[in-house]
Amino acid sequence: MNSIRKVGFVIKPHAPGVGAILRDLVAFLEGRGVVCVLEDAAAVKLGARRGLAREKLPARTDLVVVLGGDGTLLSVAGPAAAAGVPVMGVNLGRLGFLTEVPVAEARRTLEELLTGETGIIGGRRFLQARRGRAVHHCLNDVVINKGALARMIQIAIRIDGREVAVLKGDGLVVSTPTGSTAYSLAAGGPIVQPHVPALVLSPICPHTLTFRPMVVAADSVIGLRLQTDGEEVYMSLDGQRGAELEEGDEVTVRTSPLELRLVSSPARGYFDVVKEKLGWAE
Amino acid sequence: MNSIRKVGFVIKPHAPGVGAILRDLVAFLEGRGVVCVLEDAAAVKLGARRGLAREKLPARTDLVVVLGGDGTLLSVAGPAAAAGVPVMGVNLGRLGFLTEVPVAEARRTLEELLTGETGIIGGRRFLQARRGRAVHHCLNDVVINKGALARMIQIAIRIDGREVAVLKGDGLVVSTPTGSTAYSLAAGGPIVQPHVPALVLSPICPHTLTFRPMVVAADSVIGLRLQTDGEEVYMSLDGQRGAELEEGDEVTVRTSPLELRLVSSPARGYFDVVKEKLGWAE
Amino acid sequence: MNSIRKVGFVIKPHAPGVGAILRDLVAFLEGRGVVCVLEDAAAVKLGARRGLAREKLPARTDLVVVLGGDGTLLSVAGPAAAAGVPVMGVNLGRLGFLTEVPVAEARRTLEELLTGETGIIGGRRFLQARRGRAVHHCLNDVVINKGALARMIQIAIRIDGREVAVLKGDGLVVSTPTGSTAYSLAAGGPIVQPHVPALVLSPICPHTLTFRPMVVAADSVIGLRLQTDGEEVYMSLDGQRGAELEEGDEVTVRTSPLELRLVSSPARGYFDVVKEKLGWAE
Amino acid sequence: MNSIRKVGFVIKPHAPGVGAILRDLVAFLEGRGVVCVLEDAAAVKLGARRGLAREKLPARTDLVVVLGGDGTLLSVAGPAAAAGVPVMGVNLGRLGFLTEVPVAEARRTLEELLTGETGIIGGRRFLQARRGRAVHHCLNDVVINKGALARMIQIAIRIDGREVAVLKGDGLVVSTPTGSTAYSLAAGGPIVQPHVPALVLSPICPHTLTFRPMVVAADSVIGLRLQTDGEEVYMSLDGQRGAELEEGDEVTVRTSPLELRLVSSPARGYFDVVKEKLGWAE
């Protein structure tokens, strides 16, 4: 990693205490000669009229600091990965699967990054979802889901060109290992270590009870074709963006060439986070 | 049961062969002096211009015969229960959990009903869902579910006035024993014998992994309060009718005084149907 | 309930602090003119040479107090139910599903029982398991399970004389509603309110993935026939007593005429206990 | 692969029709100048007094043909992998996950192997389980399981030297992708494509309900330490061999350097087998 001279800040504006923490970290960095770049919401918190648009911020920095939860981090993950800029998530409330640096460790972790300690940055693969000409990238998951009043839908699943199954149910989650602890877990999927080269397919309320979560190789090409007519069906990406699907629509999901450079807490391993989030310690 | 002098027919119009079966059963019944009453779609099949509206049909008959699947039967279950008229479901394709009389046994089963064999009629309790002044009745389930693009929702659950849990996830199914093999099963709920005096609460993709399906007494009063703001959330009844919910809305679910008198196949017990539908025999 | 003049004590001898609590409660009761009767282990704690055998204690008292966990309470549940004597479980460590009175509430709860407050005693149905001439009673569950090195076993399940399924897998749990939060829950079964008149059948690691937990009426007669030859298979009762089964052995399980009169914490409802034990509150 | 001049046969002796199929394939191979080598049971079927011991057979052949089910194949997988000799499983009854060549395709598949068509041979990684000085290899899984009458056990799980969790429950399955469709699936684990470089940890009836199946990198070192005293606990390997464990015993599981060269049906992909075995096609 080149040396860090510019740090961008992205925040969850209504999180309690976010203003004070932002001010503190900006002061800390500026005291070390680092330039701080703020997205709109962060700039307003510090009394400015405006800052940068969130999606444009990563390309103009050497590191993005997110003050908020996993949702806030997801919203800037794509531009950060595209720009090759690492992201450090500081959780303001509860520990997140992505925002794993607690406020109390934020200064120390920044310190390590400034002094070139890059061992704490891990790569997190993205998914690419192609539908017609549109290509989307997401860090956690692509979900095909029926509307709340729709009936059971059918999705024909092909893996590497070969038909695997026709899923009947509420829908399907295709997730990266990173996304395995998000929606996929609630749907019944396994917990997958971030660096396992794999994708997870977890059915949502499958009608066929033998249809179970599947783990396939990361270089698989997954073709999903909607076979249901006249019901509301949506594709959503990282639970943040969505599009309606119609009968016959095909979505092709595969591992993306993009990779998020995510800063881990130096004090925590992956399973420490899992253990704390899922209450295994108790 | 009083003797059967009028039989009503409700059909799934596009089911293959439904016209011929309808004609056959009408001829059979008329040959025995029974008057046949047809809903619109059935009347059209037999060449008439129109018949009765489906929901008005039960009150004018002594027995309703449904030619179709479980969905068709569900659509007439409420009016039939309100009128106290038994329903016989003849499945045209695959065996249904409600439409368990196969075509080949339809004449024989009608014969038994005409000659007063009432042992094959079982009572199936309904749910009542009250929201504000509106009261709905349903045979299978009341489902509160988020829209496809909505995020996790929160539902506060009270049982008999006492708060049990705040569920975070995609939603909740409250089902009768009859409905336990429908959506509740896909959500992870148990199979409950129809005559067990109980209700089932099955969470849909719960965020809290320890939140498991619950079976409560049939006389429980279940209060569900939506605590989520700004997301699309719907209540649906038997997967057929729906209404949007807003933050603070409260739905009260309890066993209804209504009961459907459902005709069972004389040749099958409840678990024979379950075994065949779920492929246990294999 | 007749007035309480004799209280028996059953303890988990190695639980930290059990001696002091025993001494305190005995003093409290004797101060009110109540005679205290001690099982062997409890007598030794108070300096005596010996007391009564645990299983003989209930018949000589008007109330049994258990100081320990659910396992300790289960060990005396049968004799207490046979004698018609209520049981109050005081949990010394973590809250139990059966031992739900905390130490801090023990005196107050005893006080209420002495003054005739019987509303806090609920009936908990037992199971009866018959194998040949031997009849066993248990409060939680009858489990048929393969030995650790045995292969998959087959159990033919009959309900009310009708074959329901042949289960292939590690085994089967038949539980009362009371037992639904014990082993059955770990095997994937639902949580069932104690007063629902039902039994739960939960398969253990079923080979047939569509084989799901079932809830049947409390008056069902469940016939289980082992169809596996040459493998170690055991029946266990409340996880405390066991017997080996052989091919062709048949176990008949039904609700027992016995009922345990269990003292609830006046401050807690059933779901308060569930919520605390399963961490729903978090 | 060098050319095939010697083929060994391993059989399930009591499988219906196994003698005729063995005779047929031996005749077919001998007609092409291939020498056939028989294990004891196979030799007896063809009228000889004795053959080779099963475990010694692979080292003396260029290909092992198994006539039986997955259990039969597992029993020779270790010696075959150690000798680097490919194995072709012909299923005599139902399709197996490992024995995926049907009898009707056996000659054709042998033909392809004799003519050098090696594309149909895939590598299947083994597990290595080390306990003290003893090292075991297995293709499907290492299972630590309590005895049928034992109570809940505790296993401390370390991954790459870091403690992940203390599992309380009946036990744990560590499986290869190949083993993911065996016991791990019954315990609730995901289906993992054979070539995904991963291991699966599936808890058996976990007491902690948030403890879910985990997928970790294939190069992980998994340390399992039994923390339970005085209960019967066993380790079993591929469901075929076992050993008792005592408190404090530590088992270290990792991917083995061994790899089984397994012949696939040329007509079937991995998910075709899964689809057929799990009844997804229905």
Side-chain angles (χ1 to χ4, degrees):
Chain A
M1 190 162 76
N2 300 324
S3 63
I4 295 174
R5 276 169 295 200
K6 278 189 176 180
V7 171
F9 280 89
V10 165
I11 68 168
K12 184 178 179 183
H14 302 301
V18 65
I21 296 158
L22 174 63
R23 199 166 291 118
D24 177 70
L25 295 181
V26 166
F28 171 76
L29 288 167
E30 289 181 347
R32 309 193 151 243
V34 175
V35 175
C36 291
V37 184
L38 307 179
E39 69 154 338
D40 274 337
V44 169
K45 277 282 173 207
L46 296 195
R49 201 109 46 99
R50 53 179 301 184
L52 277 180
R54 185 176 288 190
E55 65 276 15
K56 292 188 180 157
L57 185 129
R60 311 215 181 158
T61 64
D62 305 313
L63 169 72
V64 173
V65 174
V66 173
L67 307 178
D70 285 359
T72 315
L73 194 147
L74 282 171
S75 73
V76 77
V85 170
V87 174
M88 167 180 151
V90 178
N91 63 79
L92 298 185
R94 297 184 53 185
L95 174 66
F97 283 110
L98 296 170
T99 51
E100 58 175 83
V101 177
V103 170
E105 294 174 19
R107 280 183 170 230
R108 176 158 69 90
T109 309
L110 282 171
E111 183 72 50
E112 296 193 24
L113 290 167
L114 293 179
T115 56
E117 175 51 72
T118 59
I120 59 175
I121 300 180
R124 298 293 185 103
R125 279 185 300 277
F126 270 64
L127 282 180
Q128 182 197 81
R130 180 185 296 271
R131 178 182 167 229
R133 290 191 189 161
V135 179
H136 309 273
H137 295 270
C138 43
L139 180 56
N140 271 348
D141 46 39
V142 176
V143 177
I144 296 183
N145 214 339
K146 72 176 195 64
L149 295 179
R151 304 191 188 197
M152 190 182 78
I153 63 175
Q154 278 196 200
I155 302 169
I157 304 174
R158 296 174 79 81
I159 296 180
D160 297 332
R162 200 151 185 161
E163 182 165 305
V164 165
V166 175
L167 170 64
K168 298 175 185 177
D170 279 12
L172 181 73
V173 184
V174 182
S175 91
T176 58
T178 295
S180 70
T181 49
Y183 193 28
S184 175
L185 189 65
I191 297 161
V192 183
Q193 265 188 321
H195 62 294
V196 175
L199 298 174
V200 184
L201 283 76
S202 297
I204 306 171
C205 297
H207 186 83
T208 304
L209 300 182
T210 57
F211 204 102
R212 294 279 289 270
M214 291 182 286
V215 177
V216 300
D219 61 2
S220 302
V221 178
I222 300 166
L224 305 173
R225 187 178 198 89
L226 183 64
Q227 296 187 328
T228 303
D229 186 21
E231 302 283 355
E232 261 196 335
V233 183
Y234 292 89
M235 166 175 71
S236 71
L237 307 154
D238 281 349
Q240 303 213 334
R241 293 154 291 148
E244 192 160 4
L245 296 183
E246 301 199 345
E247 194 193 1
D249 275 0
E250 182 130 11
V251 179
T252 305
V253 185
R254 66 175 80 199
T255 297
S256 159
L258 286 185
E259 204 176 70
L260 178 69
R261 300 172 62 209
L262 183 68
V263 176
S264 297
S265 159
R268 277 185 185 73
Y270 175 70
F271 282 112
D272 294 324
V273 177
V274 170
K275 183 158 56 170
E276 187 167 336
K277 292 285 289 179
L278 300 187
W280 291 355
E282 185 184 307
Chain B
M1 188 161 79
N2 301 324
S3 63
I4 294 174
R5 275 169 298 200
K6 278 189 175 178
V7 171
F9 279 89
V10 165
I11 69 168
K12 183 177 178 182
H14 302 300
V18 65
I21 295 158
L22 174 63
R23 200 165 290 117
D24 176 69
L25 295 181
V26 166
F28 170 76
L29 288 168
E30 288 182 348
R32 308 190 151 243
V34 175
V35 175
C36 291
V37 184
L38 307 180
E39 69 154 338
D40 275 336
V44 168
K45 277 280 174 209
L46 296 194
R49 199 105 51 94
R50 54 180 299 184
L52 276 179
R54 185 176 287 191
E55 65 276 14
K56 292 188 179 156
L57 185 128
R60 310 214 181 158
T61 64
D62 304 313
L63 169 72
V64 173
V65 174
V66 172
L67 306 179
D70 285 359
T72 315
L73 195 147
L74 283 170
S75 73
V76 76
V85 170
V87 173
M88 168 179 150
V90 179
N91 63 77
L92 298 186
R94 295 185 53 185
L95 174 68
F97 282 110
L98 297 171
T99 52
E100 59 174 84
V101 177
V103 170
E105 293 174 20
R107 280 183 170 229
R108 177 157 71 90
T109 309
L110 282 172
E111 183 72 50
E112 295 192 25
L113 290 166
L114 293 179
T115 57
E117 175 51 70
T118 60
I120 59 176
I121 300 180
R124 297 292 185 104
R125 279 183 301 277
F126 270 65
L127 283 179
Q128 183 197 80
R130 179 186 296 273
R131 178 181 166 230
R133 289 192 191 160
V135 179
H136 309 273
H137 295 271
C138 43
L139 180 56
N140 271 349
D141 46 39
V142 176
V143 177
I144 296 183
N145 214 340
K146 72 177 194 62
L149 296 179
R151 304 191 188 197
M152 190 184 76
I153 62 175
Q154 278 197 200
I155 303 169
I157 303 174
R158 297 175 77 83
I159 295 180
D160 297 333
R162 202 151 183 162
E163 182 166 306
V164 165
V166 174
L167 170 64
K168 297 175 185 177
D170 279 12
L172 181 72
V173 184
V174 182
S175 91
T176 58
T178 295
S180 71
T181 48
Y183 193 28
S184 175
L185 188 64
I191 296 162
V192 183
Q193 266 188 321
H195 63 293
V196 174
L199 297 174
V200 183
L201 283 76
S202 298
I204 304 171
C205 296
H207 186 83
T208 304
L209 299 182
T210 58
F211 204 102
R212 293 279 289 269
M214 291 183 284
V215 177
V216 300
D219 60 1
S220 302
V221 179
I222 300 165
L224 306 174
R225 189 179 197 87
L226 182 63
Q227 295 187 329
T228 303
D229 186 19
E231 302 283 355
E232 261 196 336
V233 183
Y234 292 89
M235 166 175 72
S236 71
L237 308 154
D238 281 349
Q240 303 214 330
R241 292 155 291 149
E244 192 160 3
L245 296 182
E246 302 198 345
E247 194 193 2
D249 275 359
E250 181 130 10
V251 179
T252 306
V253 184
R254 64 175 81 199
T255 298
S256 158
L258 285 185
E259 205 176 70
L260 178 69
R261 299 172 62 210
L262 183 68
V263 176
S264 297
S265 159
R268 276 187 186 73
Y270 174 70
F271 282 111
D272 293 325
V273 176
V274 170
K275 183 159 53 172
E276 188 169 335
K277 293 284 288 178
L278 299 187
W280 291 356
E282 185 185 308
Chain C
M1 189 161 78
N2 300 324
S3 63
I4 294 174
R5 275 169 297 198
K6 278 191 175 176
V7 171
F9 280 89
V10 165
I11 69 168
K12 183 177 179 182
H14 302 300
V18 64
I21 296 157
L22 174 64
R23 201 165 289 117
D24 176 69
L25 294 181
V26 166
F28 171 75
L29 288 168
E30 290 181 347
R32 310 191 150 242
V34 175
V35 175
C36 291
V37 184
L38 307 179
E39 69 154 339
D40 274 336
V44 168
K45 277 281 174 207
L46 296 194
R49 200 106 49 95
R50 53 181 300 183
L52 276 179
R54 186 176 287 191
E55 64 277 14
K56 292 189 180 156
L57 184 130
R60 311 214 181 159
T61 65
D62 305 312
L63 170 71
V64 173
V65 174
V66 172
L67 306 179
D70 285 359
T72 316
L73 195 146
L74 283 170
S75 74
V76 76
V85 170
V87 173
M88 167 179 152
V90 178
N91 63 77
L92 297 186
R94 297 186 53 186
L95 174 66
F97 283 110
L98 296 170
T99 52
E100 58 174 85
V101 177
V103 169
E105 292 173 20
R107 279 183 170 230
R108 177 158 68 89
T109 309
L110 282 171
E111 182 73 49
E112 294 192 26
L113 290 167
L114 292 179
T115 57
E117 175 52 71
T118 60
I120 58 175
I121 299 180
R124 299 291 184 102
R125 280 184 299 278
F126 269 65
L127 282 179
Q128 183 197 80
R130 180 186 296 273
R131 178 181 165 229
R133 289 190 190 163
V135 179
H136 309 274
H137 295 270
C138 43
L139 181 56
N140 271 348
D141 46 40
V142 176
V143 177
I144 296 182
N145 214 339
K146 72 178 194 62
L149 295 179
R151 304 191 187 198
M152 190 183 77
I153 62 174
Q154 279 196 200
I155 303 169
I157 304 174
R158 297 174 78 82
I159 296 181
D160 297 333
R162 202 151 182 161
E163 182 166 306
V164 164
V166 175
L167 170 65
K168 296 175 186 177
D170 278 12
L172 181 73
V173 184
V174 182
S175 90
T176 57
T178 295
S180 71
T181 48
Y183 193 29
S184 176
L185 189 65
I191 297 162
V192 183
Q193 266 187 320
H195 62 293
V196 174
L199 298 174
V200 184
L201 282 75
S202 297
I204 305 170
C205 297
H207 186 83
T208 305
L209 300 180
T210 59
F211 204 103
R212 293 278 289 268
M214 290 184 284
V215 177
V216 300
D219 60 1
S220 302
V221 178
I222 300 165
L224 306 173
R225 187 179 199 87
L226 182 64
Q227 294 187 329
T228 303
D229 186 19
E231 302 283 357
E232 261 197 335
V233 183
Y234 291 89
M235 166 174 71
S236 71
L237 307 154
D238 281 350
Q240 304 214 330
R241 291 155 290 150
E244 192 160 5
L245 296 182
E246 301 199 345
E247 194 194 2
D249 275 359
E250 182 130 11
V251 179
T252 306
V253 185
R254 64 175 80 199
T255 298
S256 158
L258 286 185
E259 205 175 70
L260 178 69
R261 300 173 60 210
L262 183 68
V263 176
S264 297
S265 158
R268 276 187 184 73
Y270 174 70
F271 282 111
D272 294 324
V273 176
V274 171
K275 184 159 53 172
E276 189 168 336
K277 293 283 289 179
L278 299 188
W280 291 356
E282 185 185 306
Chain D
M1 189 162 74
N2 301 324
S3 63
I4 295 176
R5 277 169 296 200
K6 277 191 176 178
V7 171
F9 280 89
V10 165
I11 69 168
K12 185 179 177 183
H14 302 300
V18 66
I21 296 157
L22 174 63
R23 200 165 289 118
D24 177 69
L25 295 180
V26 166
F28 170 77
L29 288 168
E30 289 181 348
R32 310 195 148 240
V34 175
V35 175
C36 291
V37 184
L38 307 180
E39 69 154 339
D40 274 335
V44 169
K45 277 281 175 209
L46 295 195
R49 199 100 57 90
R50 54 180 301 184
L52 276 179
R54 185 176 287 191
E55 65 275 16
K56 293 190 181 156
L57 184 129
R60 311 215 181 157
T61 64
D62 304 311
L63 168 72
V64 173
V65 174
V66 173
L67 306 179
D70 285 0
T72 315
L73 195 146
L74 283 170
S75 72
V76 76
V85 171
V87 174
M88 167 179 152
V90 178
N91 63 78
L92 298 186
R94 297 185 52 186
L95 174 66
F97 282 110
L98 297 170
T99 51
E100 58 174 82
V101 177
V103 170
E105 293 174 20
R107 280 183 171 230
R108 178 157 69 89
T109 309
L110 283 172
E111 182 72 49
E112 296 193 24
L113 290 167
L114 292 180
T115 57
E117 174 53 70
T118 59
I120 58 176
I121 299 180
R124 299 293 185 101
R125 278 184 301 277
F126 270 65
L127 283 178
Q128 182 197 81
R130 180 187 297 272
R131 177 181 167 230
R133 291 191 189 161
V135 179
H136 308 274
H137 296 270
C138 43
L139 180 56
N140 272 348
D141 45 40
V142 176
V143 177
I144 295 183
N145 214 340
K146 72 177 195 64
L149 296 178
R151 305 192 187 197
M152 190 182 78
I153 63 174
Q154 279 196 199
I155 302 169
I157 303 174
R158 296 175 79 83
I159 296 181
D160 296 333
R162 202 150 183 161
E163 182 166 306
V164 165
V166 175
L167 169 66
K168 297 174 186 178
D170 278 12
L172 180 72
V173 184
V174 182
S175 90
T176 58
T178 296
S180 71
T181 49
Y183 193 28
S184 175
L185 188 65
I191 296 162
V192 183
Q193 267 188 320
H195 63 293
V196 175
L199 297 175
V200 184
L201 282 75
S202 298
I204 305 170
C205 296
H207 186 82
T208 304
L209 300 182
T210 58
F211 203 102
R212 294 277 288 267
M214 292 183 285
V215 177
V216 300
D219 60 2
S220 303
V221 178
I222 300 166
L224 307 173
R225 188 180 197 86
L226 182 65
Q227 295 187 329
T228 303
D229 186 19
E231 303 282 356
E232 261 197 335
V233 182
Y234 291 89
M235 166 174 72
S236 71
L237 307 154
D238 282 348
Q240 303 213 333
R241 291 153 292 149
E244 191 159 6
L245 296 182
E246 302 200 343
E247 194 194 1
D249 275 359
E250 182 131 11
V251 179
T252 306
V253 184
R254 64 174 81 199
T255 298
S256 159
L258 285 186
E259 204 175 68
L260 178 69
R261 300 173 62 210
L262 184 67
V263 177
S264 297
S265 159
R268 278 187 183 73
Y270 175 70
F271 282 112
D272 294 323
V273 176
V274 171
K275 183 159 54 170
E276 187 169 335
K277 292 284 290 178
L278 299 187
W280 291 356
E282 186 183 304

